Amino acid sequence: MHRKIGFIAIVFSSLVFWANGALAQNTSPHLVLTGKEISAIRKDWAAYPVFKKSFLEAKNKVDAVIGNTIDVPVPKDAAGYTHERHKQNYTEMYLAGFLYQVTGEKKYAEFVKKMLLKYADLYPTLKQHPEAASSSPGRLFWQSLNEYNWLIYTSQAYDCVKGTFSIAEQKLIEKNVFRNMAEYFAIERVEEMDLIHNHGTYSCTAVGLAGFILHDTDLVNKALFGSKKDTTAGYIAQLKTLISPSGYYTEGAYYARYELLPLFVLAKAIDNNLPEMKIFKFRDSLFNKVLQATLQQTTINGKFLPLNDGVKDKNYLSPEIMVALDIVYDVYGGEKALLDIAKKQDKVMLSGAGLKVAKALAEIKNIPEFERKSVNYTDGANGDEGGLSILRTGKGIDESMIVYKYTAHGLSHGHYDKLSFSYYDNGDEVIRDYGSARFVNVDQKWGGRYLPENKSFAMQTVAHNTLVVDEKTQFGGKIEVSEKYHPDAYFFSIDNPNCKVTSAKFVDPTNPVKTQRTLALVKITELASPIVIDVIRAESDKIHSYDIPFYYAGDFISSTVKYTANDKSLKPLGKGSGYQHLWNLGEGTVDSSLQVTWLKGNRFYSLTASADSTTSLVFTRIGASDPKYNLRNDPAFIIRNKEKSCVVASVVEPHGLYDSVNEFTQDSYPQIQSVKVLKDGVDFTAVEIQGKNSIDYILIISNNDSSSKSMHNFMLNGISYKWTGQVYFEKHKGD
Amino acid sequence: MHRKIGFIAIVFSSLVFWANGALAQNTSPHLVLTGKEISAIRKDWAAYPVFKKSFLEAKNKVDAVIGNTIDVPVPKDAAGYTHERHKQNYTEMYLAGFLYQVTGEKKYAEFVKKMLLKYADLYPTLKQHPEAASSSPGRLFWQSLNEYNWLIYTSQAYDCVKGTFSIAEQKLIEKNVFRNMAEYFAIERVEEMDLIHNHGTYSCTAVGLAGFILHDTDLVNKALFGSKKDTTAGYIAQLKTLISPSGYYTEGAYYARYELLPLFVLAKAIDNNLPEMKIFKFRDSLFNKVLQATLQQTTINGKFLPLNDGVKDKNYLSPEIMVALDIVYDVYGGEKALLDIAKKQDKVMLSGAGLKVAKALAEIKNIPEFERKSVNYTDGANGDEGGLSILRTGKGIDESMIVYKYTAHGLSHGHYDKLSFSYYDNGDEVIRDYGSARFVNVDQKWGGRYLPENKSFAMQTVAHNTLVVDEKTQFGGKIEVSEKYHPDAYFFSIDNPNCKVTSAKFVDPTNPVKTQRTLALVKITELASPIVIDVIRAESDKIHSYDIPFYYAGDFISSTVKYTANDKSLKPLGKGSGYQHLWNLGEGTVDSSLQVTWLKGNRFYSLTASADSTTSLVFTRIGASDPKYNLRNDPAFIIRNKEKSCVVASVVEPHGLYDSVNEFTQDSYPQIQSVKVLKDGVDFTAVEIQGKNSIDYILIISNNDSSSKSMHNFMLNGISYKWTGQVYFEKHKGD
C-alpha cells in the first residue's frame, strides 16, 4: 500500500502546482499536444513525406467542409444521420484545432468555435438519448462509449483554439459542454467510469482530459484514482489491473488495440501536465511493453490473433496502434524496428511524436525488420494468472506459429477456452480459432453487435482447439466462476531453436480433471518444414468423455480412420455447450495411431495422433441450430476418448505441394506415420513419433518438475534416458 | 467438298517435294525450330532478359543432370518413379537438343544420343504398360497421352541432334523408336488418333512430327487427314471441327489451353516443312483467333473461366499459352497487347518466336494493356451451335463480368448447363460455377482423376446457375443426346455501353420447355456499380417445377423471405440429378419481389427477384451424399416456381462497403427494392426495377425479333414505348 499512497501524494502535489501555474491564458496547447511540438510541426510538416501526407489528408478533409453549414442536430438515431453527424463533428473539430495551431489560420479556430457554441446551446437541453442502450446510455449518442470519444477528441480541439475565444465564450463552453458532460460521466455514469474495463478507460480518459481543460483537480483525481479517489478504480487502477507485468492486456490483442488509444492519449496529457508522475516510467515502462506485446500478437500479415471476441482481419494498421506506436517511438528512445511497422501504416499521428517517426522514416536508411519472436506473456495484474505463449520459427511466409492460450478469463469478451491453441503456417490459419461471431456494424446481422451465436457457440469450449470434458463448457459457461480461476504456466523453453516448447496446467473446479497440455514447435532433419507436437494429459479418477476438436482450415483429403459418413441425414452433435451448433458428419473408431490429411492453399497438412481402444474420430462442421445462417461453416474433426485418464499425443506435419497452375502435386502423403504414447505417469510422459525415411523420435515430458536445471533419468523398455530440463527430444534409442 | 479435295492435292504435292528435297543430312533443325531461328538465338540469346532467363533456366536444368547415369527404366508404375523418369527424360532430351544447337557443345548431343540409344533398346521389347489405362493404354506410360507427349518432345530433340549421329545410329533410332512408336499410335491406337478430341490432337501431332522426322509422307498425311486420309479425321479435321469460326474451342478455356500446345507445335512444323499449306492463314487466321478467344475467357487475374470440367486456378501463365502466344506474336505481325501477358508470363518459348517476344519486351516502352472485352463467341464447326457471351464493364479490380454459357455440349468434359451464367466483380467470383470436382494429381482423391462427384454433381444442371426443369438434368444427363442439341444465340448487343445485353434460347427435347434467358450488365446513374439483370422465360403447356439456383460466394447476410430453417436436422434436397448432393437448409414462400443479401470480400451483393404466388425460396448447401467429403460445401439459394409458364426477372446489385480493418460498414442494404414482371407474352417481356432514390426503370425485351434494326411499339398500362432494337431500357414513364 505504501507505493499507492506515495503515488497519490505526488500526484496531488503536482496537481496543485499545475492548477496554480497554468491559469494564465496562452495560445499554445498544453493538453496532449504542446507548444514545442507545434513549433516543430510548423517548421517541418512538409519536410517528411509521411507527415506531409497525413497533414494534407487532415487539411483536405477539413477544407472540404469548412464552408458548409455547421449542423449540431438533436440526437435521434443509433446508426443514422444524427449519430454519424456527431461523430464527424468531433473528428472535424479535432483536426481543425490542430490545423489552427499549425497554420495560424483563424478560419479553423472559428469553425471549432461556431460548432462548440452550438453544442453549448444543445447539450444542456439533452436528456438520455431516445435510443439509449439500457446498460450504458449516452446523451449525444445512444451509447456512452461514443460520447467518451466525443469528449476525448473535442477536449483536444478546444485546447488548441481556446486562446482565440473570449473569456465569456470560454466560460459558456466550459460550463455547458465540458463540465456538463464530464460530470455526466463522473456522476451519473460513475459505475462505468469505475469499471476495470476498456469502457472505464475511455470514460476516465474523457473525464481526465476535461479535468485538465477545466483546471479541475478533483475531476482529474477521480479520473486517475476512481470516483472515490481511493485508487480502487480509475485510470491508474486500470493500468495496474488490466495489463500484466509482461505487457499482456487481459482481453487479448484485438481489444488491446482498442484500449491503447485512451491509455496513450491520457498518458500524454499526464506527461505534459503532471510530468512529476513520470507516467511513462510507470510499472517498468508498461506503455512500451503493452504495445510490444500487442504487436507480437499478430499474424505475418499484421492481423491480430482472434483471441476471445477478437474480430478477424483487424490489423496493426489501425489508427489506435499508430498513435501508440508513435508515442512509444518518441518516449522510449526511438526503437528502429518500430519504423518497420510505421512504414506499413504509412500514416502518423498529428503530433510531435508523429513528426519524429516521419523524420526517422525519411532519414533512416536501413530500417530493421520488426522481429516476430517466440514469446511468453503472463496474464493478471501480478502476472500470476496464466498466460499466452507464441512459438515461432521461420521468417515471413515461411513462419510457423503456435498460439497457446492459457490466460485468465479476460473480462466480458473472454472465451471459455483454457489450454486452446491455434497453428499458422505459410501465411495462413491451418488449425484455427473461430474468433467471434459478428459482422461489425452490419445492421441486418443483429444490428452489427455480437451475434447470439457468439455466446452459444464462439465462446464455448467446443468452439476451440482444446479439451472438452464430458461435452461441457469450462466453468459451466459461467463468467463469475471463470473469472475466479485460471490455468497455471508450467514451463516455456525456447533455448533449443529446434524444439521450442510451452506447457501449462489447468483444473476446472466445476468438473475436476487435471489437465496438462504441452505444445512444441520442432524441426527435425528428415523434414523440410517444422512440425507441431501436442500432448494433452487429462487425469481423473472417474470416467469422462474427452473431446479434442481440431478446426482445420482447408479441404479434407483423407483419413486412415474407417468412418461411417452421415451423408444422407445430418443431426447436431449434441444439445448444448456449443455442440448443438455442430453437424455430425460421420464417426469411426480406431485403436492405434490415427491420421487426417487436409489441403490448405498449396500445402498439405496431416495430423497423426495416438489412439487406444476407446478412441473414436468424429467429423463435424459448424452450422447446426443456426436458423439465421450466422455462423461460418468451418469443418473440424474431434478426437474422442472415454476413460478415466487420457493422454493424446499428436503431430501436425506440413508436407508436399499442390500447384494448380502447373497441375503438379508432390508428397500428398505425410512422412510421419504413427504417434504413440509409450508411457505415461505422474512424473513423465513418453511419446514416440515414427515415419518414413527412418523418422523415429522420442519426446519425454517432465510432468512434475518444471525446472530447466533438473536432471532426469527415465527408464523405458530397459533403456535409460538422461537429460537436463523439462523435455527430452532425440532420435529414438530403442530397437 | 471442293475445298477439301483441293487442299489435299496441295499437301500431297508439297510432301513429295519436301520428301525428295530434304534427304541430305544437315545439322540445322527443320522440324519446329529452323536453322535461321537458331542463328538468331546464337547471336542474341543473352541480349534480352526474358530470353536469357528462360535459356539459363533450361541450361541449368540440363547441366544439373548431364553427368548423372542415364536411366531408361522398364515401365512399372502409373505415378511413381518410372513414370516420372520417362517424363523427365523427354523434357531433358528436348532441352539438351535445343542447347546443342545454340551452344554447339557436343555433350548435349551426346546426352540425347545415349538416352535415345537406350530407348532404342528398350522400346521394341515393350508390350502394353503393366498399369495401362483400359481405354487408352500406352507402352512407356500407363496412358497413351503421356506417350504422345514423349514423342512430341523427343522428335524435336532428335531433329536438333541427328546430324551428329552416324547413319547406323540414325537408322536404329528411327526404326526402333520413332517408327515403332508412331505406328503404335497410327495403327494400334488409331481409334484415338482419329478422335475429334484433344487426345486426338496430341496423337496426330506426335505422329505428324514423327512423320516429318522419318520423311514418311504417309504418316504425315494420316496425321493431317486421318487414318483413312479422307479428311474425316486428323489434325485438319480437328482444326475445322473443334474450333468455331470465332475461335471458341468447344471444351472451353481450360481444355483450350491444353489443346493449344499440340495445335501450335504441329502448325509450326507444317509451316516449316509445307509452307505452301499456309497453315497460319487457315480458316481466316484461326490460330490467332483461338488464342485470343482463350485469353478472353479469363478472370482479371488471368484464371481461365471454369467452364465444363475446367479446374479453377489454372491461368494464362501456363506453358501451353506461352508457346501459343509467342507463335501468334511472331506469325501475326506482333500485336503489342500480347506482350502485356508475355510480361506476366516472364518466360518465353525457346525458339525464334520466343526471341522476338523477348526482344519486344526489352525494347518496346509503352506496352498497351491487353484489352478485356465484351465478346460473343459462336460454338460449333460452322459457328451455329450456340455460343458463349462475356459481358464486361470497368477496368482491373473494378471490372464486372457476366459469363453466359449457351454452347454445345463440349465433348466428354461438357456439363449439362445450357443457359447458365456466372458473375464476377471486384476481382472475385460472386455468383459462381462449381467448376469440376477434382484434386489434380492428389492420389488420395480418386487417384487425382475427376472424382465420382464430378459426374453425379458438378456436371448436373442443378450444379449451375441455370434453370432446372422438374428437378431433372438437361437431356436426362445423356451425352449422346446432349451432343445432338444446343441452344441458339438470340441476340448480343454491346452498342450501348451502359446496357450490354445477351440473349439465347433453348429447348431440351427430352423435357420440352421453351426457355429464353437474357442477361444484361447495366449502369444506371443512381448507383455507383453496374448491376446484372437476368430474365428467364420458360414456356410450356404443362405444369413444371422451375428451379433457378444461384450459387453465391460469401456469407449470407439476410433475406426478405420468411423461411423455416431446417436447423436441427438436414436432409438432401432430392434423390438424383445432383439434388442428392444438396442439403435442404430451409425454405420459405413469398408472393412478391424477394431479396437475398450476402457479403463477399468487402462488398455486399443483393439479388432482388420477381415472384408470384407459386414462388418459394430454398436455401441449400452442397455436401450431401458425399461420404468421402469430396465436394466444396458452397451455399446457394434456389428460386422455385411451379406453373405452366414462368418468368423470373432478377437484379444483382453490388453495394456498400465492409471494412473490417477500420470497422466501418456502409450501405449494407441495397438500393433496389423490387423487381416485377409487368407483362410477358410471345412478343415482349416488360420488367420494372424500383428502389430508393427514385430508382425506377423499365426493361422491355423483344422475344420474337432479334434484329437490331426493328422498330417496336409496345403499349403498357396505356403508355406507348417506342424503340429500335432488341431491348428498351429507360427510366419508367409510368405514374
Side-chain angles (χ1 to χ4, degrees):
Chain A
M1 289 301 274
H2 268 287
R3 195 160 72 105
K4 278 184 194 165
I5 292 165
F7 198 73
I8 301 173
I10 292 172
V11 174
F12 279 163
S13 65
S14 320
L15 274 176
V16 171
F17 168 78
W18 162 81
N20 291 338
L23 276 176
Q25 292 304 330
N26 72 67
T27 56
S28 287
H30 57 95
L31 185 63
V32 177
L33 284 169
T34 63
K36 203 176 148 197
E37 290 175 69
I38 290 296
S39 303
I41 293 169
R42 277 186 192 158
K43 185 167 153 281
D44 286 335
W45 71 266
Y48 313 121
V50 181
F51 197 93
K52 186 177 176 186
K53 180 170 165 250
S54 305
F55 176 87
L56 289 178
E57 206 173 280
K59 189 166 184 302
N60 292 338
K61 205 167 193 169
V62 177
D63 288 351
V65 298
I66 208 161
N68 299 355
T69 312
I70 286 170
D71 191 16
V72 174
V74 175
K76 260 188 204 160
D77 46 68
Y81 170 75
T82 69
H83 178 82
E84 289 302 327
R85 185 68 261 161
H86 289 295
K87 279 173 71 177
Q88 282 175 39
N89 281 353
Y90 73 65
T91 306
E92 288 166 13
M93 282 193 284
Y94 167 73
L95 296 175
F98 167 78
L99 289 168
Y100 167 68
Q101 281 294 335
V102 178
T103 66
E105 288 184 54
K106 287 271 177 196
K107 66 177 179 184
Y108 295 117
E110 282 297 306
F111 175 80
V112 179
K113 190 193 331 187
K114 275 186 198 157
M115 199 178 273
L116 274 179
L117 287 171
K118 289 203 175 195
Y119 275 104
D121 281 351
L122 175 72
Y123 199 75
T125 70
L126 299 179
K127 305 286 168 210
Q128 197 163 300
H129 189 283
E131 298 211 8
S134 55
S135 62
S136 55
R139 285 174 171 175
L140 274 178
F141 293 95
W142 69 286
Q143 63 168 348
S144 49
L145 199 54
N146 294 109
E147 204 141 321
Y148 302 145
N149 272 290
W150 192 96
L151 189 54
I152 290 169
Y153 285 96
T154 308
S155 295
Q156 296 177 69
Y158 182 67
D159 178 51
C160 284
V161 299
K162 68 179 275 200
T164 69
F165 292 13
S166 70
I167 297 293
E169 285 163 347
Q170 289 183 31
K171 278 192 175 160
L172 177 72
I173 289 166
E174 289 182 11
K175 173 166 173 279
N176 285 11
V177 180
F178 290 103
R179 181 162 303 283
N180 212 337
M181 196 181 277
E183 286 181 351
Y184 173 58
F185 297 160
I187 298 168
E188 285 190 56
R189 302 285 319 123
V190 65
E191 208 175 297
E192 200 167 0
M193 189 181 89
D194 280 351
L195 277 182
I196 303 293
H197 187 278
N198 63 57
H199 287 204
T201 309
Y202 271 87
S203 176
C204 289
T205 296
V207 171
L209 294 182
F212 285 125
I213 286 289
L214 296 167
H215 296 219
D216 184 330
T217 310
D218 187 56
L219 269 183
V220 172
N221 277 325
K222 282 179 175 166
L224 294 182
F225 306 111
S227 63
K228 295 183 194 129
K229 298 186 277 191
D230 63 355
T231 78
T232 57
Y235 179 80
I236 298 295
Q238 289 154 6
L239 275 177
K240 283 187 171 178
T241 313
L242 294 173
I243 302 167
S244 83
S246 67
Y248 179 76
Y249 174 74
T250 192
E251 296 188 89
Y254 173 80
Y255 275 99
R257 179 265 324 158
Y258 189 65
E259 173 79 355
L260 291 186
L261 184 89
L263 274 188
F264 273 81
V265 166
L266 188 56
K268 271 301 281 180
I270 292 170
D271 201 46
N272 286 340
N273 293 286
L274 301 168
E276 304 80 0
M277 271 182 77
K278 297 194 168 72
I279 187 74
F280 286 115
K281 299 218 158 145
F282 187 55
R283 292 186 77 199
D284 196 17
S285 301
L286 188 72
F287 287 90
N288 185 27
K289 286 186 184 170
V290 70
L291 174 74
Q292 300 283 355
T294 305
L295 292 177
Q296 289 293 345
Q297 291 172 62
T298 53
T299 71
I300 62 164
N301 304 309
K303 293 182 184 181
F304 296 119
L305 301 177
L307 305 172
N308 296 319
D309 270 352
V311 172
K312 289 186 185 184
D313 290 343
K314 191 86 179 177
N315 62 30
Y316 59 38
L317 303 183
S318 74
E320 302 95 331
I321 297 289
M322 175 196 79
V323 166
L325 186 145
D326 289 358
I327 293 173
V328 163
Y329 182 85
D330 181 27
V331 166
Y332 294 101
E335 183 192 334
K336 284 185 193 168
L338 292 175
L339 300 174
D340 184 33
I341 291 169
K343 198 168 51 180
K344 287 172 187 139
Q345 291 172 338
D346 198 23
K347 208 173 167 174
V348 288
M349 188 184 179
L350 296 169
S351 73
L355 192 71
K356 276 197 194 164
V357 169
K359 183 171 191 283
L361 284 173
E363 293 176 354
I364 295 178
K365 293 278 174 252
N366 296 312
I367 293 172
E369 209 176 315
F370 176 78
E371 196 189 348
R372 300 168 57 70
K373 294 186 275 200
S374 292
V375 288
N376 194 38
Y377 295 117
T378 57
D379 193 7
N382 302 313
D384 55 2
E385 299 176 29
L388 179 83
S389 299
I390 303 176
L391 299 179
R392 291 183 168 114
T393 186
K395 288 260 175 204
I397 193 80
D398 290 323
E399 180 187 287
S400 296
M401 175 171 73
I402 291 175
V403 179
Y404 184 30
K405 184 169 181 274
Y406 59 97
T407 64
H409 190 77
L411 309 186
S412 59
H413 294 294
H415 286 200
Y416 301 89
D417 63 348
K418 307 300 163 220
L419 305 197
S420 72
F421 93 115
S422 48
Y423 165 55
Y424 293 74
D425 181 47
N426 219 3
D428 281 327
E429 294 176 309
V430 176
I431 295 179
R432 64 185 158 190
D433 195 273
Y434 190 88
S436 59
R438 185 181 184 190
F439 291 84
V440 180
N441 288 337
V442 178
D443 188 54
Q444 296 101 311
K445 287 293 193 187
W446 203 253
R449 299 186 293 271
Y450 288 98
L451 291 159
E453 291 76 16
N454 191 58
K455 191 171 179 196
S456 63
F457 181 70
M459 281 186 169
Q460 303 296 314
T461 307
V462 76
H464 301 84
N465 305 298
T466 190
L467 181 73
V468 192
V469 178
D470 297 329
E471 304 189 19
K472 286 181 193 156
T473 287
Q474 292 164 355
F475 308 110
K478 294 196 172 121
I479 186 168
E480 58 278 14
V481 185
S482 182
E483 286 192 325
K484 282 190 210 151
Y485 302 93
H486 55 79
D488 288 303
Y490 180 57
F491 64 78
F492 175 82
S493 168
I494 54 173
D495 295 343
N496 177 356
N498 291 325
C499 182
K500 299 177 181 175
V501 203
T502 176
S503 187
K505 295 183 177 186
F506 172 59
V507 181
D508 170 0
T510 64
N511 191 15
V513 167
K514 281 189 191 170
T515 312
Q516 176 182 352
R517 186 175 211 167
T518 305
L519 283 154
L521 194 57
V522 169
K523 284 196 270 185
I524 62 175
T525 53
E526 294 85 350
L527 296 175
S529 300
I531 56 174
V532 177
I533 308 179
D534 173 23
V535 182
I536 298 189
R537 294 185 77 227
E539 274 185 286
S540 174
D541 49 13
K542 288 186 196 144
I543 289 183
H544 293 281
S545 100
Y546 295 108
D547 281 0
I548 313 172
F550 292 92
Y551 287 88
Y552 66 96
D555 294 317
F556 174 81
I557 293 295
S558 61
S559 174
T560 56
V561 178
K562 280 186 189 155
Y563 60 89
T564 307
N566 300 321
D567 65 324
K568 297 285 186 288
S569 164
L570 289 186
K571 294 278 179 197
L573 194 55
K575 295 205 167 151
S577 299
Y579 281 82
Q580 73 276 23
H581 289 296
L582 295 171
W583 293 116
N584 181 350
L585 300 188
E587 289 179 67
T589 58
V590 63
D591 59 7
S592 68
S593 203
L594 67 88
Q595 200 165 67
V596 179
T597 298
W598 66 99
L599 173 66
K600 168 70 184 170
N602 54 11
R603 197 172 273 196
F604 296 90
Y605 296 87
S606 291
L607 182 139
T608 310
S610 63
D612 62 31
S613 59
T614 78
T615 307
S616 62
L617 185 70
V618 182
F619 292 98
T620 181
R621 190 176 280 278
I622 303 167
S625 311
D626 178 24
K628 304 272 187 202
Y629 313 137
N630 282 336
L631 290 166
R632 282 201 319 272
N633 289 195
D634 295 348
F637 55 88
I638 297 176
I639 298 175
R640 175 170 281 183
N641 286 283
K642 268 206 166 87
E643 47 201 333
K644 280 187 183 168
S645 292
C646 155
V647 189
V648 177
S650 52
V651 172
V652 185
E653 175 194 347
H655 56 96
L657 172 69
Y658 182 74
D659 177 343
S660 54
V661 173
N662 294 306
E663 301 199 9
F664 178 67
T665 298
Q666 203 175 29
D667 295 334
S668 65
Y669 291 96
Q671 297 288 300
I672 289 169
Q673 292 175 303
S674 89
V675 174
K676 281 182 196 152
V677 177
L678 295 183
K679 200 157 180 184
D680 178 65
V682 175
D683 292 328
F684 298 103
T685 301
V687 175
E688 178 195 71
I689 299 164
Q690 292 183 319
K692 294 176 204 166
N693 296 322
S694 312
I695 290 175
D696 190 358
Y697 283 85
I698 189 158
L699 171 73
I700 308 172
I701 301 167
S702 159
N703 295 334
N704 215 6
D705 178 351
S706 68
S707 163
S708 62
K709 290 174 185 159
S710 297
M711 286 165 64
H712 301 285
N713 188 351
F714 177 63
M715 284 295 288
L716 185 66
N717 300 331
I719 300 169
S720 155
Y721 295 87
K722 289 184 185 169
W723 75 97
T724 302
Q726 303 100 343
V727 296
Y728 170 93
F729 182 75
E730 295 289 346
K731 274 268 186 191
H732 198 170
K733 292 190 205 167
D735 49 331
Chain B
M1 290 302 276
H2 268 287
R3 195 160 73 103
K4 279 182 193 167
I5 292 165
F7 197 72
I8 304 173
I10 292 170
V11 173
F12 279 165
S13 65
S14 322
L15 276 177
V16 170
F17 167 78
W18 161 83
N20 291 336
L23 278 176
Q25 293 303 332
N26 73 67
T27 56
S28 287
H30 58 95
L31 185 62
V32 177
L33 285 168
T34 63
K36 204 175 146 195
E37 289 175 70
I38 290 297
S39 302
I41 293 169
R42 278 186 192 158
K43 187 166 152 281
D44 285 336
W45 71 265
Y48 313 121
V50 181
F51 196 92
K52 186 177 176 187
K53 179 170 166 250
S54 304
F55 177 87
L56 289 178
E57 206 172 280
K59 189 165 182 305
N60 292 338
K61 206 167 192 169
V62 177
D63 288 350
V65 299
I66 208 160
N68 298 354
T69 313
I70 287 170
D71 191 16
V72 174
V74 175
K76 260 190 205 157
D77 46 68
Y81 170 74
T82 69
H83 178 85
E84 289 302 326
R85 186 68 262 161
H86 289 295
K87 279 173 72 178
Q88 282 175 37
N89 281 353
Y90 71 65
T91 307
E92 289 166 13
M93 282 193 282
Y94 167 74
L95 296 175
F98 167 79
L99 289 168
Y100 168 68
Q101 281 294 336
V102 178
T103 65
E105 290 184 51
K106 288 269 178 194
K107 66 175 179 183
Y108 296 117
E110 282 298 307
F111 175 80
V112 179
K113 189 185 350 182
K114 276 189 201 156
M115 198 178 274
L116 275 179
L117 288 171
K118 290 204 174 195
Y119 276 103
D121 280 351
L122 176 72
Y123 200 74
T125 69
L126 299 179
K127 305 284 167 209
Q128 198 162 301
H129 190 283
E131 298 211 7
S134 55
S135 63
S136 55
R139 286 174 169 175
L140 275 179
F141 294 96
W142 69 286
Q143 62 168 349
S144 48
L145 199 53
N146 293 110
E147 204 141 321
Y148 303 145
N149 272 290
W150 192 96
L151 190 53
I152 289 171
Y153 285 97
T154 308
S155 296
Q156 295 178 68
Y158 182 67
D159 178 51
C160 286
V161 298
K162 67 179 275 200
T164 69
F165 293 13
S166 71
I167 298 294
E169 285 163 347
Q170 289 182 31
K171 277 192 180 162
L172 179 72
I173 289 166
E174 289 181 13
K175 175 167 171 278
N176 284 10
V177 180
F178 291 102
R179 181 162 304 282
N180 214 337
M181 196 181 277
E183 286 181 354
Y184 173 59
F185 299 160
I187 298 169
E188 284 190 56
R189 301 287 317 124
V190 64
E191 210 175 295
E192 199 167 1
M193 189 182 89
D194 280 351
L195 275 183
I196 302 295
H197 186 280
N198 62 59
H199 287 203
T201 309
Y202 272 87
S203 176
C204 289
T205 296
V207 171
L209 294 181
F212 284 125
I213 287 287
L214 298 167
H215 296 219
D216 184 331
T217 310
D218 187 59
L219 270 183
V220 172
N221 277 325
K222 281 179 176 166
L224 294 181
F225 307 111
S227 63
K228 295 180 194 132
K229 299 185 276 192
D230 63 356
T231 78
T232 57
Y235 179 80
I236 298 294
Q238 289 154 5
L239 276 176
K240 282 185 170 177
T241 313
L242 293 173
I243 303 168
S244 81
S246 68
Y248 179 77
Y249 174 74
T250 191
E251 296 187 87
Y254 173 81
Y255 275 99
R257 179 266 324 158
Y258 189 65
E259 173 79 356
L260 291 186
L261 183 88
L263 274 188
F264 274 80
V265 166
L266 187 56
K268 271 301 282 181
I270 293 170
D271 201 45
N272 288 338
N273 293 287
L274 302 167
E276 305 80 358
M277 271 182 75
K278 297 193 168 73
I279 187 74
F280 286 115
K281 298 217 159 144
F282 188 54
R283 291 186 77 198
D284 196 18
S285 300
L286 188 73
F287 287 90
N288 185 27
K289 285 184 184 172
V290 70
L291 174 73
Q292 300 282 353
T294 305
L295 292 176
Q296 289 293 344
Q297 292 173 61
T298 54
T299 70
I300 62 165
N301 305 310
K303 293 182 183 180
F304 297 119
L305 300 177
L307 305 173
N308 297 319
D309 269 353
V311 171
K312 289 186 184 184
D313 290 343
K314 191 86 179 175
N315 62 30
Y316 58 37
L317 303 183
S318 74
E320 302 95 331
I321 296 289
M322 176 197 77
V323 166
L325 186 143
D326 289 358
I327 294 175
V328 163
Y329 182 83
D330 180 29
V331 166
Y332 295 102
E335 184 191 335
K336 285 187 193 167
L338 291 176
L339 300 173
D340 183 32
I341 291 169
K343 198 168 52 182
K344 288 172 186 142
Q345 291 172 338
D346 198 24
K347 206 172 169 177
V348 288
M349 189 182 177
L350 295 170
S351 73
L355 191 71
K356 278 198 194 165
V357 168
K359 182 173 194 282
L361 284 173
E363 292 177 354
I364 295 178
K365 293 275 174 259
N366 297 311
I367 293 172
E369 209 175 315
F370 176 78
E371 196 190 348
R372 300 168 56 72
K373 293 185 276 200
S374 292
V375 288
N376 194 38
Y377 295 117
T378 56
D379 193 6
N382 302 311
D384 55 3
E385 299 176 29
L388 179 82
S389 300
I390 303 175
L391 300 178
R392 291 184 167 114
T393 186
K395 288 260 176 205
I397 193 81
D398 290 323
E399 180 186 287
S400 297
M401 173 170 74
I402 292 175
V403 179
Y404 184 31
K405 182 167 182 276
Y406 59 97
T407 64
H409 189 77
L411 311 186
S412 59
H413 293 294
H415 286 199
Y416 301 89
D417 63 347
K418 307 297 165 220
L419 306 196
S420 73
F421 92 113
S422 49
Y423 164 55
Y424 293 74
D425 183 46
N426 221 0
D428 281 328
E429 293 177 309
V430 176
I431 295 179
R432 63 184 158 189
D433 195 272
Y434 189 89
S436 58
R438 185 181 184 189
F439 291 84
V440 180
N441 289 335
V442 178
D443 187 54
Q444 296 101 311
K445 289 292 193 187
W446 203 252
R449 300 186 292 271
Y450 288 98
L451 293 159
E453 291 75 16
N454 191 57
K455 190 168 182 200
S456 63
F457 181 69
M459 281 186 170
Q460 304 295 314
T461 308
V462 76
H464 301 83
N465 305 298
T466 190
L467 180 73
V468 192
V469 178
D470 297 330
E471 304 189 19
K472 286 182 193 155
T473 287
Q474 293 165 355
F475 308 110
K478 294 197 172 119
I479 185 168
E480 57 278 15
V481 185
S482 183
E483 287 193 323
K484 284 190 206 149
Y485 303 93
H486 55 79
D488 288 302
Y490 181 55
F491 63 78
F492 175 81
S493 167
I494 53 172
D495 296 343
N496 177 355
N498 292 324
C499 182
K500 299 176 180 175
V501 203
T502 177
S503 188
K505 294 183 178 187
F506 171 58
V507 182
D508 170 0
T510 64
N511 191 15
V513 166
K514 282 189 192 172
T515 312
Q516 176 182 352
R517 186 175 210 167
T518 306
L519 284 153
L521 193 57
V522 169
K523 283 197 268 186
I524 61 175
T525 53
E526 295 86 349
L527 296 176
S529 300
I531 56 174
V532 177
I533 308 179
D534 173 24
V535 182
I536 299 188
R537 294 185 77 226
E539 274 183 287
S540 173
D541 49 14
K542 287 188 196 140
I543 289 182
H544 294 282
S545 100
Y546 296 109
D547 281 0
I548 312 172
F550 293 91
Y551 288 87
Y552 64 97
D555 294 316
F556 174 81
I557 293 294
S558 62
S559 173
T560 56
V561 177
K562 280 186 188 153
Y563 60 89
T564 307
N566 300 321
D567 65 324
K568 298 285 186 287
S569 165
L570 289 186
K571 294 278 179 196
L573 193 55
K575 295 205 168 151
S577 299
Y579 281 80
Q580 74 276 23
H581 289 296
L582 295 171
W583 292 116
N584 181 351
L585 300 188
E587 290 179 66
T589 57
V590 63
D591 58 7
S592 68
S593 203
L594 67 87
Q595 201 163 66
V596 178
T597 298
W598 67 98
L599 173 66
K600 168 70 185 167
N602 55 11
R603 197 173 272 196
F604 297 90
Y605 296 87
S606 290
L607 181 140
T608 310
S610 63
D612 61 31
S613 58
T614 78
T615 307
S616 63
L617 184 70
V618 182
F619 291 99
T620 180
R621 188 176 281 276
I622 302 166
S625 311
D626 179 23
K628 304 272 187 202
Y629 313 137
N630 282 336
L631 290 166
R632 283 202 316 273
N633 289 194
D634 296 347
F637 55 87
I638 296 175
I639 299 175
R640 175 169 279 184
N641 285 281
K642 268 207 166 86
E643 48 201 331
K644 280 186 183 169
S645 292
C646 155
V647 189
V648 176
S650 53
V651 173
V652 186
E653 176 194 345
H655 55 96
L657 172 69
Y658 182 73
D659 177 344
S660 54
V661 174
N662 295 305
E663 301 200 10
F664 177 67
T665 299
Q666 203 175 29
D667 296 334
S668 65
Y669 291 98
Q671 297 288 299
I672 289 167
Q673 293 175 303
S674 89
V675 174
K676 282 182 193 153
V677 177
L678 296 183
K679 202 158 179 182
D680 177 65
V682 175
D683 292 327
F684 297 103
T685 301
V687 174
E688 178 194 72
I689 298 163
Q690 292 183 320
K692 294 177 204 166
N693 296 321
S694 312
I695 290 174
D696 191 358
Y697 283 84
I698 189 158
L699 170 73
I700 308 172
I701 301 166
S702 160
N703 294 334
N704 215 6
D705 178 352
S706 67
S707 162
S708 63
K709 289 174 184 158
S710 297
M711 287 167 63
H712 300 286
N713 188 351
F714 176 63
M715 285 295 288
L716 184 68
N717 301 330
I719 298 168
S720 156
Y721 294 87
K722 289 182 185 170
W723 76 97
T724 301
Q726 304 100 343
V727 295
Y728 169 95
F729 182 74
E730 294 290 346
K731 275 269 186 191
H732 198 174
K733 291 189 201 168
D735 51 328

